[in-house]
Amino acid sequence: MAIQETKYLTEFYHLPEFKGIDGYKKNGGYVELEKALKMQPQAIIDEVKASGLRGRGGAGFSTGMKWGFLPKNNEPRYLLCNADEGEPGTFKDRMMMEKAPHQLIEGMIISGFAIGSKKSYIYVRGEYDQSINTLETAIQEAYKAGYLGKNILGSGFDHDMDVYRGAGAYICGEETGMISSLEGLKGQPKLKPPFPAVQGYLKKPTIVNNVETLAVVKYVIRDGAAHYKKIGTEKSTGTKLFSLSGNVMKPGNFEVPLGFPLKDMVFGLGGGMKPGRQLKAVIPGGSSAPVLNAEESNRALLDYENLAQMGTMLGSGAIIVIDDSNCMVQCLSNLMHFYHHESCGQCTPCREGTGWLDKITRSILSGKGRLQDIELLLKVADNMKGKTICALSDAAALPVLSFVPKFRDEFEYFVREGKSKVKGTAYKGHSYAEMHH
Amino acid sequence: MFQLSSEGKQQVLNELKRYESKQSAVLPALYIGQRENKGFITPAVIQELSRVMEIPESQINEVFTFYTMYNKKNVGKYHVQVCRTLSCMLNGAEELVGHLCEQLNTRVDQMTTDGRFTISEVECLGSCGTAPMMQIGDKYFENLTPESAMNLLRTMK
């Protein structure tokens, strides 16, 4: 049988009408909101906890447990939807917001009701203009229909929702960085503890969840935790949206149960390599996830546990495929430029470390690398791990600590010969454009 | 000297009331200031926002310099931002930037002499499945080739 998606969240994404409130309601929209508003908030939290749902943004932390960290009092609290989607390779949240804005909004109102929040924000990266417009229209529709505002559907529950536009900073996808940004400040992360659930936006308890995570909440209410848990694996429950990109014939977003074989994703749903090309490597969970070589990719399963066992991570579900026409030194250098650009500059190991990783890889790329540079890369990366306020420093170090050992021959060849083993040339910069600077 | 239009000023005042904290309006206000100053922000824009918002200039300035979507210098009428990050690179982003620069006789981040275009390389725009791609103004243009991108720019007067 042909390899297929399991369209659980994305069942109606092919219908253009699903974007508007009428089309959404025609296809089961806002039914679960009515159901949830008749439940006890704690019962919703328990159901989400029992479903095994884990954060879909990257960290994979239990959503129900995260909600459980909120103080048990009547203090005002915020729900903040993380739609800053910036992890290179990830484009699933954008699709969700543009094709099914009400799915997210319904999931958020249910979640807001469960945690006792009267106000939520969707923090969308500034570049996603279409997502922002679609969400703003949908929120207006939801207000008109009485799903937002005062006394929602006669339940006595009030909830307001608004969109906040980011302004271009990867670091704002980190939850405390996002809170700083929503406060109108530089998007610099804050030390934890206190965790946002205790002290977040304007020092009030705040829950930050990814777009996909919040959308799933509706389906946990619809089908119940017991049913939801049957999808996926024992510890990685449910389906997940994967963004497949790079050197595959059919890139795109694909929804599959967790535990799905990576090779079926790449060669089945993704249509495999271009003619004459071979698979060389896969980054399975966004650019921060350690890279897998072809042999590892062929046996990896897309769930939290299996990828962790293989020394990498599921992350945001962004799968970047690299074929044998590409130079791994250049790929790593591309990523180091990214992290150097995106470091917020607060912590020394990250600010300086990302700079050095960028410079050293660039030096190798230009053909001027020294043999000791390879060890230096590893040493710098090692000194960046676990030493900073947030995980960006680790995110920059992990690619180095996997690219270099797994493709060491390419790095050594480049240093020795002054040119790429694959492409046969050196680069004068990161890109064509920089060569001309 | 820079002054917000009366409409722009009203928008800034609305943003000040929109969020639970006044400071939260700084990011949206900077967008308004940028739009009203031909697409980039100068010290005069910061001064004006500070005056209207009653927030110290330093607090607005540090936000302005932190984020990449606020332009520090004049950009062309069409700011062409080509994604350079890995998935786009794997699909030919470098050739795309190179072709555009060559055809327009310009360099990255340098405005063309007729003031129409500035070509920039930017980090991941979340459009990796439709690589290579570029953003012009608020719009995404996806699944490009160097030629199709250049043809598109030719239609932009």
Side-chain angles (χ1 to χ4, degrees), chain B residues 142-153:
Chain B
E142 303 170 293
N143 293 311
L144 299 168
T145 63
E147 293 73 29
S148 72
M150 191 56 221
N151 286 340
L152 194 77
L153 297 195

Side-chain angles (χ1 to χ4, degrees), chain A residues 78 91 94 125 162-164 166-168 181-185 187 201 245 251 330 334 337-338 430-433, chain B residues 18 20 23-24 31 63 66-69 84 86-87 94 98 102 107-108 121 123-126 128-129 138 142:
Chain A
Y78 296 101
F91 47 96
R94 179 177 154 224
R125 63 178 297 179
D162 205 348
V163 173
Y164 196 79
S181 184
L182 181 62
E183 288 169 343
L185 307 169
Y201 180 51
S245 70
Q330 191 192 7
N334 181 281
H337 184 280
F338 172 81
H430 268 275
S431 67
Y432 185 92
Chain B
R18 181 169 172 181
E20 329 267 300
Q23 178 82 24
S24 291
Y31 277 121
V63 173
F66 186 83
Y67 297 93
T68 57
M69 288 180 68
R84 64 161 295 283
L86 190 55
S87 298
E94 294 181 1
E102 217 169 271
R107 288 177 175 187
V108 166
E121 287 182 307
E123 300 296 347
C124 189
L125 290 172
C128 327
D138 291 336
E142 303 170 293

Side-chain angles (χ1 to χ4, degrees), chain A residues 76-128:
Chain A
R77 56 205 52 198
Y78 296 101
L79 175 64
L80 177 52
C81 171
N82 186 340
D84 193 53
E85 192 163 63
E87 181 72 14
T90 321
F91 47 96
K92 67 182 177 71
D93 295 340
R94 179 177 154 224
M95 176 181 79
M96 296 188 77
M97 292 186 281
E98 291 175 9
K99 289 193 185 290
H102 285 285
Q103 196 182 46
L104 170 62
I105 293 168
E106 185 179 4
M108 284 181 69
I109 306 169
I110 297 171
S111 304
F113 176 69
I115 65 171
S117 164
K118 292 183 172 151
K119 178 89 205 194
S120 58
Y121 289 103
I122 309 174
Y123 185 107
V124 189
R125 63 178 297 179
E127 294 90 342
Y128 280 4

Side-chain angles (χ1 to χ4, degrees), chain A residues 75-313:
Chain A
E75 200 182 341
R77 56 205 52 198
Y78 296 101
L79 175 64
L80 177 52
C81 171
N82 186 340
D84 193 53
E85 192 163 63
E87 181 72 14
T90 321
F91 47 96
K92 67 182 177 71
D93 295 340
R94 179 177 154 224
M95 176 181 79
M96 296 188 77
M97 292 186 281
E98 291 175 9
K99 289 193 185 290
H102 285 285
Q103 196 182 46
L104 170 62
I105 293 168
E106 185 179 4
M108 284 181 69
I109 306 169
I110 297 171
S111 304
F113 176 69
I115 65 171
S117 164
K118 292 183 172 151
K119 178 89 205 194
S120 58
Y121 289 103
I122 309 174
Y123 185 107
V124 189
R125 63 178 297 179
E127 294 90 342
Y128 280 4
D129 195 62
Q130 201 188 326
S131 303
I132 292 169
N133 292 336
T134 309
L135 281 172
E136 282 180 342
T137 306
I139 288 173
Q140 289 312 314
E141 287 178 329
Y143 268 106
K144 266 193 208 138
Y147 298 130
L148 280 170
K150 298 263 176 247
N151 189 22
I152 297 169
L153 303 174
S155 64
F157 173 63
D158 306 336
H159 193 81
D160 285 304
M161 191 178 289
D162 205 348
V163 173
Y164 196 79
R165 180 182 209 132
Y170 170 70
I171 195 60
C172 293
E174 198 278 345
E175 59 179 8
T176 58
M178 175 168 289
I179 288 166
S180 298
S181 184
L182 181 62
E183 288 169 343
L185 307 169
K186 290 185 280 185
Q188 291 185 323
K190 299 169 182 173
L191 265 180
K192 297 188 255 192
F195 286 90
V198 178
Q199 210 180 91
Y201 180 51
L202 306 175
K203 297 205 164 21
K204 295 280 188 284
T206 303
I207 289 294
V208 187
N209 286 139
N210 170 259
V211 172
E212 187 183 351
T213 312
L214 288 164
V216 170
V217 171
K218 167 188 164 75
Y219 296 87
V220 170
I221 297 306
R222 186 184 75 181
D223 299 337
H227 177 273
Y228 187 79
K229 276 181 74 160
K230 283 187 200 148
I231 314 169
T233 71
E234 192 195 336
K235 287 183 179 161
S236 297
T237 60
T239 61
K240 168 99 188 74
L241 277 159
F242 288 92
S243 301
L244 181 66
S245 70
N247 301 130
V248 284
M249 294 297 282
K250 289 186 283 181
N253 285 308
F254 298 101
E255 184 178 15
V256 294
L258 286 164
F260 192 80
L262 176 57
K263 82 171 175 331
D264 288 349
M265 176 65 73
V266 173
F267 291 97
L269 299 172
M273 307 294 108
K274 280 189 187 162
R277 304 262 182 95
Q278 297 286 320
L279 177 68
K280 184 189 246 178
V282 178
I283 300 173
S287 67
S288 314
V291 68
L292 298 172
N293 63 29
E295 182 273 323
E296 291 168 322
S297 309
N298 282 327
R299 58 188 165 89
L301 302 176
L302 295 168
D303 62 66
Y304 297 102
E305 285 69 36
N306 185 272
L307 290 175
Q309 266 169 29
M310 299 192 75
T312 183
M313 57 192 185

Side-chain angles (χ1 to χ4, degrees), chain B residues 23-140:
Chain B
Q23 178 82 24
S24 291
V26 172
L27 273 77
L30 280 165
Y31 277 121
I32 297 165
Q34 172 159 291
R35 199 180 59 226
E36 298 216 334
N37 192 50
K38 297 181 191 127
F40 70 113
I41 289 169
T42 60
V45 175
I46 305 277
Q47 271 172 21
E48 168 75 350
L49 291 177
S50 168
R51 194 181 62 79
V52 173
M53 301 176 80
E54 294 175 354
I55 290 176
E57 278 177 47
S58 60
Q59 281 179 31
I60 301 176
N61 200 54
E62 67 170 29
V63 173
F64 156 58
T65 54
F66 186 83
Y67 297 93
T68 57
M69 288 180 68
Y70 304 124
N71 293 316
K72 277 85 195 164
K73 59 177 190 183
N74 198 359
V75 291
K77 185 175 170 198
Y78 301 104
H79 190 194
V80 180
Q81 306 188 71
V82 183
C83 176
R84 64 161 295 283
T85 318
L86 190 55
S87 298
C88 279
M89 184 201 94
L90 292 169
N91 285 291
E94 294 181 1
E95 291 77 10
L96 176 60
V97 172
H99 185 73
L100 297 182
C101 288
E102 217 169 271
Q103 293 289 311
L104 294 168
N105 193 22
T106 186
R107 288 177 175 187
V108 166
D109 291 335
Q110 202 176 68
M111 190 166 58
T112 54
T113 44
D114 61 4
R116 269 165 74 210
F117 299 106
T118 300
I119 310 286
S120 296
E121 287 182 307
V122 296
E123 300 296 347
C124 189
L125 290 172
S127 189
C128 327
T130 42
M133 60 81 64
M134 61 188 182
Q135 179 175 24
I136 304 177
D138 291 336
K139 272 210 174 96
Y140 277 19

